[in-house]
């Protein structure tokens, strides 16, 4: 969280006890366990639950330090961090939701692998949420006749909903928060390209081998018979089996959203390059003119997409605002309750979280990039990866200019840990649960929370170990 220096210094003195971090821990545990333990109650009341944890921080702050301090803290957090975050997410969600892919591919290993590779590439442009919502339904339609396609959805979560978003601030929320805190737009492209390519190529190769096994050893007979039945063609006993299926074209509805996506990308780039003089003061919080213009343009892009996109495109995509409303309400609580946690970790070795700081540095105080990668990543697996990124960004110093230069390996490790290891669990990144829910609605048997972790443990952890040895030894 890019608190101004006065707020940060005040926070170091005010939020000195670990009890200030309990509301943050509470809201993240609620997000992790609520949908699993009490799904019906959670989906009816998640906004109230987020508000409850927020007030557990705000009310003690008002009582102990006064209304003005609490109001400044909340206003600064909402204006400087939350509103830009949710405006960008809304624009990406709306524009991607207006792109509808019609038609159906044949679910061969080559086609499935190509679709996953395409999704991973698009994730850094559309965002992991946008790319996932664009491609998950065509992928499921292509595989609807296959008996074994759980692995297809799991690798889709690995690649499209997480790892593919590592190359730009548009790709994944942690990187956009880094951009808001001063990290260059193309810095992530340059420094995460090779780690992302390494992990993606290994996953695609492994997926192709696994999908080929299911397709050639366990699926072909079933697919031929099912294809014949669907075309009302009889298959005589002992006779030749027909393999031809009706060809279906692939076409995209809502193409205007491609243009809007290009404008969106240019708008975000503009805000990171141009400077428009003295910032505007909004209720005591400085707001750069270029950032204000960016957010206004993103809101306009969202409204134009809603107006110009054919209703049939969103209907075919089963587009609705529920997922965005959930993210907006939950992240409002996260952004508020994370303020004292960041103040605690920025207190360094003199603070109550000194054991975390010590684990991230050697005896000479030099950062251990491998430890940053794993600690950031493992916490991103169990908590939300966006606030986790913010915490370790601040533990590493919180100075974007220094981290992009002498601390480049460390910042790369933090970024990769937050983005890559969000794939370790269903709760590591918002699209994970969304993809799982869509797949289950289509009748696919998805693994349980622990079952999914068994998949990620067997597939991802060995790859991340190799990634550490190659890229994060300093």
């Amino acid at each position: 969280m890019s608190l101004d220096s006065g707020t940060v210094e005040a926070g170091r003195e005010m939020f000195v006890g670990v009890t200030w971090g309990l509301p943050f821990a509470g809201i993240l545990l609620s997000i992790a366990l609520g949908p699993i333990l009490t799904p019906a109650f959670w989906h009816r009341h998640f906004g109230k639950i987020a508000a409850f944890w927020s007030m557990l921080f705000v009310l003690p702050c008002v009582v102990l330090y006064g209304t003005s301090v609490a109001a400044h803290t909340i206003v600064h957090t909402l204006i400087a961090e939350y509103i830009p975050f949710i405006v960008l997410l809304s624009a990406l969600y709306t524009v991607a939701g207006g792109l509808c892919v019609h038609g159906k591919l044949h679910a061969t290993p080559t086609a499935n692998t190509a679709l996953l590779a395409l999704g991973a590439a698009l994730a850094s442009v559309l965002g992991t949420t946008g790319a996932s919502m664009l491609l998950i339904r065509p992928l499921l339609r292509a595989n609807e006749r296959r008996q074994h396609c759980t692995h297809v959805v799991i690798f889709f979560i690995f690649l499209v909903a997480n790892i593919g978003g590592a190359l730009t601030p548009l790709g994944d929320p942690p990187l956009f928060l880094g951009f808001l805190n001063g990290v260059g737009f193309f810095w992530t492209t340059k420094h995460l390209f090779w780690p992302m390519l390494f992990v993606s190529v290994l996953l695609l190769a492994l997926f192709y081998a696994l999908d080929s096994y299911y397709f050639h050893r366990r699926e072909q007979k079933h697919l031929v018979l099912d294809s014949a039945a669907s075309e009302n063609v009889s298959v005589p006993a002992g006779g030749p089996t027909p393999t031809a299926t009706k060809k279906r074209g692939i076409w995209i509805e809502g193409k205007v959203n491609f243009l809007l996506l290009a404008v969106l990308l240019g708008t975000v780039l503009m805000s990171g390059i141009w400077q428009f003089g003295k910032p505007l003061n909004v209720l005591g919080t400085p707001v750069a003119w270029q950032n204000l213009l960016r957010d206004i343009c993103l809101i306009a892009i969202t409204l134009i997409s809603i107006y110009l996109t054919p209703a049939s495109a969103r209907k075919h995509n089963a587009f609705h605002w529920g997922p965005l409303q959930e993210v907006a309400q939950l992240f409002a609580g996260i952004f508020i309750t994370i303020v004292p946690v960041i103040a605690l970790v920025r207190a360094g070795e003199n603070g109550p979280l000194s054991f975390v700081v010590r684990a991230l540095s050697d005896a000479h105080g030099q950062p251990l990039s491998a430890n940053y990668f794993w600690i950031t990543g493992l916490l991103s697996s169990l908590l939300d990866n966006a606030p986790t990124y913010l915490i370790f960004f601040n533990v590493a110093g919180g100075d974007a200019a220094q981290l992009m230069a002498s601390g480049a390996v460390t910042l790369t490790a933090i970024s990769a840990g937050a983005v890559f290891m969000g794939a370790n669990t269903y709760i590591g990144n918002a699209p994970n649960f969304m993809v799982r829910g869509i797949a289950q609605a289509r009748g696919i048997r998805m693994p349980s929370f622990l079952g999914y972790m068994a998949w990620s443990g067997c597939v991802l952890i060995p790859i991340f170990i190799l990634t550490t040895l190659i890229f994060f030894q300093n």
Side-chain angles (χ1 to χ4, degrees), residues 288-362:
W289 284 101
Q290 63 269 19
N291 294 341
L292 180 61
L293 179 60
R294 176 198 64 213
D295 294 345
I296 292 173
C297 289
L298 292 177
I299 292 171
I301 290 169
T302 303
L303 296 176
I304 292 171
S305 176
I306 293 172
Y307 179 75
L308 294 181
T309 301
S312 57
R314 296 197 189 277
K315 182 178 180 181
H316 191 75
N317 275 341
F319 179 92
H320 62 96
W321 298 105
L324 185 61
Q325 291 172 353
E326 183 175 8
V327 169
Q329 294 180 45
L330 292 177
F331 269 80
I334 288 173
F335 274 68
I336 290 172
T337 57
I338 200 176
V339 170
V341 177
I342 291 176
L344 287 172
V345 296
R346 292 195 66 166
E349 294 189 2
N350 297 321
L353 300 180
S354 58
F355 66 94
V356 175
V357 178
R358 287 194 294 269
L360 296 170
S361 303
D362 62 19

Side-chain angles (χ1 to χ4, degrees), residues 149-159 423 426 435 446-447 451-452 455-456 459:
C149 55
T150 298
H151 67 287
V152 178
V153 182
I154 290 173
F155 275 81
F156 184 93
I157 293 174
F158 290 168
L159 284 159
Y426 282 134
V435 170
M446 293 298 293
Y452 177 86
W455 272 91
S456 64
V459 175

Side-chain angles (χ1 to χ4, degrees), residues 389-415:
Y389 172 94
L390 276 178
I391 289 175
F392 288 99
F393 180 88
N394 282 277
V395 169
D399 183 344
Q402 183 272 325
L403 286 171
M404 287 190 293
S406 60
V409 177
T410 299
L411 183 56
T412 302
I414 294 170
S415 303

Side-chain angles (χ1 to χ4, degrees), residues 438-454:
I438 292 171
Q440 287 180 322
R442 293 263 182 171
I444 296 176
R445 295 183 60 184
M446 293 298 293
S448 66
F449 186 82
L450 293 178
Y452 177 86
M453 289 182 65

Side-chain angles (χ1 to χ4, degrees), residues 112-437:
N112 280 340
T113 303
L115 200 56
L116 292 185
L118 174 64
L122 290 176
S124 285
V125 180
L126 295 175
T128 52
T129 298
S132 297
M133 296 303 100
L134 175 66
L135 293 178
I136 184 58
R137 291 179 180 88
L139 181 70
L140 293 176
R141 287 198 298 269
N143 286 272
E144 64 185 0
R145 290 177 181 166
R146 290 184 55 168
Q147 292 182 319
H148 301 89
C149 55
T150 298
H151 67 287
V152 178
V153 182
I154 290 173
F155 275 81
F156 184 93
I157 293 174
F158 290 168
L159 284 159
V160 184
N162 290 276
I163 293 163
L167 298 185
T168 73
L170 297 176
D172 217 24
L175 303 183
F176 184 65
L177 294 182
F179 177 71
L180 293 178
N181 280 273
V183 178
F185 188 93
F186 289 111
W187 188 94
T188 52
T189 308
K190 176 181 177 181
H191 288 83
L192 272 77
F193 176 79
W194 291 112
M196 180 267 191
L197 184 65
F198 175 77
V199 173
S200 297
V201 168
L202 288 181
L203 283 173
L204 288 170
L206 183 59
F207 171 78
Y208 182 81
L210 182 61
D211 201 44
S212 295
Y213 167 76
Y214 280 120
F215 185 81
H216 294 296
R217 300 290 182 88
R218 306 180 67 176
E219 295 278 5
Q220 261 193 341
K221 182 178 179 180
H222 162 75
L223 288 172
V224 168
L225 292 173
D226 187 66
S227 177
S230 67
E231 301 294 336
N232 295 317
V233 178
S234 62
V235 182
T241 58
T243 58
T245 60
K246 185 186 297 183
K247 293 184 178 180
R248 297 173 174 87
I250 303 296
W251 59 283
I252 297 176
E253 188 178 10
K255 294 186 184 70
V256 66
N257 288 287
F258 284 121
L259 176 61
L260 294 177
L261 184 63
V263 176
L264 187 155
L265 177 60
T267 300
V268 176
L269 272 172
M270 173 276 300
S271 70
I273 296 173
W274 292 351
Q275 302 293 325
F276 292 109
K278 188 177 180 180
L280 178 69
N281 187 292
V282 180
L283 300 175
T285 297
V287 177
W289 284 101
Q290 63 269 19
N291 294 341
L292 180 61
L293 179 60
R294 176 198 64 213
D295 294 345
I296 292 173
C297 289
L298 292 177
I299 292 171
I301 290 169
T302 303
L303 296 176
I304 292 171
S305 176
I306 293 172
Y307 179 75
L308 294 181
T309 301
S312 57
R314 296 197 189 277
K315 182 178 180 181
H316 191 75
N317 275 341
F319 179 92
H320 62 96
W321 298 105
L324 185 61
Q325 291 172 353
E326 183 175 8
V327 169
Q329 294 180 45
L330 292 177
F331 269 80
I334 288 173
F335 274 68
I336 290 172
T337 57
I338 200 176
V339 170
V341 177
I342 291 176
L344 287 172
V345 296
R346 292 195 66 166
E349 294 189 2
N350 297 321
L353 300 180
S354 58
F355 66 94
V356 175
V357 178
R358 287 194 294 269
L360 296 170
S361 303
D362 62 19
H364 304 289
Q366 296 301 308
L368 298 171
S369 296
N371 288 12
Y372 268 102
F373 175 67
W374 281 97
I375 294 176
T376 303
L378 292 176
L379 287 178
S380 293
S381 304
L382 299 172
L383 308 175
D384 190 273
N385 60 0
T388 303
Y389 172 94
L390 276 178
I391 289 175
F392 288 99
F393 180 88
N394 282 277
V395 169
D399 183 344
Q402 183 272 325
L403 286 171
M404 287 190 293
S406 60
V409 177
T410 299
L411 183 56
T412 302
I414 294 170
S415 303
V419 175
F420 292 177
M421 295 201 199
N424 283 344
T425 70
Y426 282 134
I427 61 176
N429 201 15
N432 300 4
F433 253 125
M434 297 168 68
V435 170
R436 178 195 184 215

